[in-house]
Amino acid sequence: METYFDIRSQTHSEKVQHLLNRSRYPYHVTRFTGTDGCIYRFRVSAPQQEIYTLLEHSGIPWQSAE
């Protein structure tokens, strides 16, 4: 199962990457440039609820990309 979500700042993207590495979740991140700036789309090999709960408990703003 894979989970997709977007992060809208480089700083938060870096925090998410550290968090996923610490939690040992395999992921891939792609950067897009939109009209409002950069968007970092994450694809994580884990169930949605696990990842979304992890992000919420860490106080990192995110948006579902699905």
Side-chain angles (χ1 to χ4, degrees):
M1 175 174 283
E2 292 189 329
T3 300
Y4 294 86
F5 61 92
D6 293 339
I7 301 292
R8 298 203 174 261
S9 82
Q10 181 177 357
T11 302
H12 284 126
S13 172
E14 291 170 0
K15 288 180 180 180
V16 169
Q17 291 177 57
H18 290 294
L19 180 64
L20 294 173
N21 283 331
R22 266 196 327 258
S23 301
R24 297 194 172 148
Y25 285 111
Y27 69 91
H28 178 77
V29 63
T30 305
R31 188 180 105 187
F32 298 96
T33 304
T35 56
D36 295 332
C38 291
I39 299 169
Y40 299 86
R41 174 145 308 149
F42 282 79
R43 180 184 74 210
V44 183
S45 297
Q48 284 182 349
Q49 192 57 43
E50 285 181 31
I51 299 303
Y52 294 164
T53 300
L54 185 67
L55 294 172
E56 288 172 4
H57 285 307
S58 300
I60 298 171
W62 57 275
Q63 291 182 328
S64 176
E66 299 178 301

